[in-house]
Structure formats: structure tokens, C-alpha cells
């Protein structure tokens, strides 16, 4: 099953959702601002993406600039910050089995469909 971690207020996320709809493949939508991933879920997502936690952080968010930018954070601290403030999580994230991508640009989603 394909999963998209989606924020409907984000144009890239909406485009990613449309790509999935156009694929005709079954998928599920996780509105991660409401259904916030746990620390373990985020660790798994980061592992599937093959990135470091800092690479999943939206550094232009006001929360990041006000609360975290000037602080030295461990990977565990970054994951905790994203769970506490899910707006910090980059989007959209698409997972297909053991493959995952951040849909920026949205066309990257096609690589794992």
C-alpha cells in the first residue's frame, strides 16, 4: 500500500496527491498535522528516505526559527521536535513498500510508483 503524508494547505502536497490519484494505484492519505506520526514512525520514515533527521525539517517555518534554529540538537531531539511540532515535517512524503521520497519536486513521486 502506498501512503502519502499530506498537508492540504501545501501546493506541493496537493500536486503529490493528484499524482497518486492519476496513477490509479491504491493509496492511503495521512494528514500528519492531525494524525501526528510517533517518534518510532518518524524514525522509520527517515530510515526509508535514507536521510538524516535534519533533512526532514522545514527550516523556514517560524517555529524552527523561533525555537530551534540557534540550538544544537541531536537526531533524537530533532525527531522529538517534529513530533511536538508537525509543521516542521517536510511534505509530502510518499512511501511505497520499502521505498520513500519527499515529493519536492512532486515528479520525484513517479520514481517509486
Amino acid at each position: 500500500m502506498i501512503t502519502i503524508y499530506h498537508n492540504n494547505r501545501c501546493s506541493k502536497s496537493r500536486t503529490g496527491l493528484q499524482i497518486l490519484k492519476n496513477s490509479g494505484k491504491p493509496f492511503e492519505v495521512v494528514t500528519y498535522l492531525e494524525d501526528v506520526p510517533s517518534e518510532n514512525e518518524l524514525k522509520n520514515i527517515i530510515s526509508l528516505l535514507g536521510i538524516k533527521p535534519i533533512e526532514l525539517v522545514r527550516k523556514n517555518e517560524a517555529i524552527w526559527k523561533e525555537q530551534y534554529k540557534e540550538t544544537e540538537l541531536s537526531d533524537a531531539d530533532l525527531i522529538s521536535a517534529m513530533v511536538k511540532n508537525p509543521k516542521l515535517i517536510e511534505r509530502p512524503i510518499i512511501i511505497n513498500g520499502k521505498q520513500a521520497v519527499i515529493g519536492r519536486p512532486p515528479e520525484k513521486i513517479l520514481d517509486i510508483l
Side-chain angles (χ1 to χ4, degrees):
M1 173 66 74
I2 299 169
T3 302
I4 179 170
Y5 287 82
H6 176 62
N7 177 349
N8 199 46
R9 296 187 66 190
C10 171
S11 64
K12 300 283 191 242
S13 197
R14 290 191 306 270
T15 301
L17 185 62
Q18 191 59 52
I19 288 170
L20 290 178
K21 286 178 181 176
N22 292 345
S23 78
K25 297 180 181 186
F27 64 93
E28 68 175 332
V29 177
V30 175
T31 52
Y32 69 92
L33 292 178
E34 292 137 27
D35 187 11
V36 180
S38 69
E39 288 188 16
N40 283 336
E41 287 172 307
L42 264 184
K43 286 177 190 176
N44 184 54
I45 291 167
I46 290 164
S47 175
L48 289 172
L49 288 167
I51 63 175
K52 296 187 179 301
I54 190 67
E55 295 174 75
L56 193 58
V57 173
R58 295 178 53 80
K59 295 169 202 73
N60 285 328
E61 287 292 333
I63 296 167
W64 176 259
K65 292 176 180 176
E66 294 164 8
Q67 296 182 29
Y68 301 104
K69 184 178 179 182
E70 302 299 323
T71 318
E72 190 149 331
L73 300 169
S74 68
D75 287 351
D77 293 336
L78 287 165
I79 290 168
S80 293
M82 286 186 274
V83 169
K84 183 178 176 185
N85 303 286
K87 278 186 171 184
L88 292 175
I89 300 172
E90 190 60 84
R91 71 234 178 196
I93 301 166
I94 296 77
I95 299 173
N96 187 3
K98 299 223 179 272
Q99 296 180 302
V101 294
I102 298 171
R104 290 183 172 266
E107 295 74 28
K108 289 178 75 176
I109 297 166
L110 298 171
D111 295 343
I112 66 166
L113 292 182

